Amino acid sequence: MKKDNDFAVILLMCLMAASSVGLSTNCTGVFFTPVSAALGIRRGTLAIYATISSITTGLVTMIIPRILTEKNFKKVLISGMMCNILAIFCMSFCNRVWQFYLLAMLMGAGNSCFSMVIITIILNSLIHENLGTKTGLVLSFSGLGGAVFNPVLASVIEKHGWQSGYRIMAMIMLLLCLPSMVYPIRFIAARKTDREKRHSLIDGFMFRIFLAAILLQVIPALGQHMIGIGTDKGLTASQAAYLTSACMIANVSFKLLAGSLSDHLGTLKTIAIMAIVNVAGDLMLLSGSSMGMLLLGAFLYGAVYAISGLLISLMCKDLYGAQQYREAYPVISFVSTVTYALSVSVVGYMYDFTGSYGLPLTVATVFMVLSTLMMAALYRTKRL
């Protein structure tokens, strides 16, 4: 059997994470304010396009792992990347909100072909040592993409308009995706599980995981509104963009830390540590008013991405084992994605109707505590 180059695999997965999540998902929020103002609509109404994209990604992601083979993998990967790039570029020509909604479906379907589920499946099949640390490194690039490109896009929008912002975004996406299109990366198809295992997959235990994931995924949706949280506290749009950067830098830092901690302390203890850090950040965003306090709060808040983006995946592997992971995780990821997608719009509407981000921040704090307690209960149930 051909031996894979671990360094090349990890590097390509880092670029895929930076593009599929760091740019395509985490940079969406920078367009909400200027585009909604230009079209004369509410932020929540525009944010629905991010919801549509995420739901489409979740739906198609449940199908993609089942149809991928070693022969068609590269074709699916390249097709998905080109659909994503095309959708983003075409958004620069939109002048009606329904056009964003249609293109969001194309973007979401394309994104599913190189999403976090595909990335983790590839890593789990090709990487066998220090999986937590290496997965944390790869998934941290989803935050790095947001940290680097949010201020860049915000500056482009401020100087040249939101249309130019989408065109630059599409160009960056193409550059990030090119190495994966060219390099002969391979995919190892999953072994089929027996019918009894497939039948028993959806049960009461998984529904409890669903509930914990639903509560958890409300929290990262605030990251798309970090610029709005900053301007709501009196910052300019350019200053508020640095809150998003702080949040995305935390995304990188805490995923790296969580990956290493999970290899040494275990997944559950690492979840608890990240949850405490996130709650501290939520409280600082709620009560802070100075630039320094808000930056620190945004950074600590970013610990949630270590749980939602990395530790949920490791938890599923702990609870289901390597063989059933490929069956269980896409389903759990779909529920998480839909919840996150809906929450992005719900947070926007909460602001529209209350005039403040205080309510969503309070809800996020409570949900983090409840979700962490539920995940601890899941581990106890599994041990019994």
Side-chain angles (χ1 to χ4, degrees), residues 26 32 36 97 136-137 186 190 220 241 247 258 265 274 291 332 361:
N26 290 340
F32 289 168
S36 60
V97 71
L137 172 63
R186 69 194 185 108
C247 183
L265 300 179
M274 294 298 114
M291 182 69 175
I332 294 166
L361 280 167

Side-chain angles (χ1 to χ4, degrees), residues 257-272:
L257 177 61
S260 179
L261 287 176
S262 66
D263 283 335
H264 294 87
L265 300 179
T267 304
L268 181 57
K269 290 181 180 178
T270 307
I271 288 173

Side-chain angles (χ1 to χ4, degrees), residues 116 132 135-136 139-140 142-143 216-217 219-220 247-262 267 270-275 277-278 299-315 329 368 375:
M116 304 306 279
T135 303
L139 300 191
S140 71
S142 63
L216 175 67
Q217 290 298 332
I219 306 162
C247 183
M248 292 300 104
I249 290 170
N251 189 328
V252 176
S253 304
F254 286 116
K255 280 179 180 173
L256 289 171
L257 177 61
S260 179
L261 287 176
S262 66
T267 304
T270 307
I271 288 173
I273 292 170
M274 294 298 114
V277 174
N278 170 259
F299 179 80
L300 296 179
Y301 159 85
V304 68
Y305 295 107
I307 305 177
S308 64
L310 169 64
L311 296 173
I312 283 288
S313 171
L314 296 178
M315 182 184 79
Y329 186 56
M368 176 55 81
M375 286 186 275

Side-chain angles (χ1 to χ4, degrees), residues 327-341:
E327 297 292 328
Y329 186 56
V331 180
I332 294 166
S333 177
F334 168 69
V335 173
S336 298
T337 300
V338 170
T339 304
Y340 170 80

Side-chain angles (χ1 to χ4, degrees), residues 95-118:
N95 54 24
R96 296 287 187 277
V97 71
W98 63 265
Q99 296 167 347
F100 283 94
Y101 295 168
L102 286 178
L103 288 171
M105 287 188 252
L106 178 63
M107 183 168 70
N111 212 31
S112 67
C113 299
F114 59 114
S115 66
M116 304 306 279
V117 171
I118 301 301

Side-chain angles (χ1 to χ4, degrees), residues 155-195:
S155 178
V156 171
I157 291 168
E158 192 171 14
K159 293 177 182 177
H160 304 289
W162 60 268
Q163 293 92 341
S164 295
Y166 277 119
R167 289 163 196 164
I168 294 297
M169 186 178 180
M171 187 182 302
I172 295 170
M173 176 70 75
L174 177 60
L175 293 174
L176 291 172
C177 291
L178 269 176
S180 297
M181 294 180 183
V182 175
Y183 187 85
I185 186 173
R186 69 194 185 108
F187 174 80
I188 299 177
R191 287 187 301 170
K192 299 289 184 182
T193 55
D194 57 62
R195 243 180 228 182

Side-chain angles (χ1 to χ4, degrees), residues 9-134:
V9 170
I10 292 171
L11 177 59
L12 292 174
M13 294 303 102
C14 286
L15 293 176
M16 283 171 62
S19 57
S20 65
V21 181
L23 185 62
S24 186
T25 301
N26 290 340
C27 290
T28 303
V30 77
F31 292 95
F32 289 168
T33 299
V35 176
S36 60
L39 299 184
I41 58 176
R42 293 181 182 272
R43 292 183 198 180
T45 301
L46 180 67
I48 289 174
Y49 99 76
T51 301
I52 293 171
S53 176
S54 295
I55 290 176
T56 305
T57 297
L59 283 169
V60 181
T61 297
M62 287 206 301
I63 301 170
I64 292 295
R66 296 176 181 272
I67 64 172
L68 279 181
T69 65
E70 294 185 23
K71 290 183 179 180
N72 71 11
F73 173 62
K74 285 295 295 238
K75 292 179 182 178
V76 172
L77 182 69
I78 293 172
S79 297
M81 289 176 170
M82 292 308 300
C83 284
N84 197 302
I85 293 165
L86 178 64
I88 292 171
F89 181 75
C90 288
M91 283 179 182
S92 67
F93 299 99
C94 292
N95 54 24
R96 296 287 187 277
V97 71
W98 63 265
Q99 296 167 347
F100 283 94
Y101 295 168
L102 286 178
L103 288 171
M105 287 188 252
L106 178 63
M107 183 168 70
N111 212 31
S112 67
C113 299
F114 59 114
S115 66
M116 304 306 279
V117 171
I118 301 301
I119 290 171
T120 56
I121 287 175
I122 293 172
L123 288 173
N124 284 332
S125 64
L126 299 180
I127 304 297
H128 305 292
E129 295 180 1
N130 298 318
L131 179 62
T133 300
K134 292 175 181 176

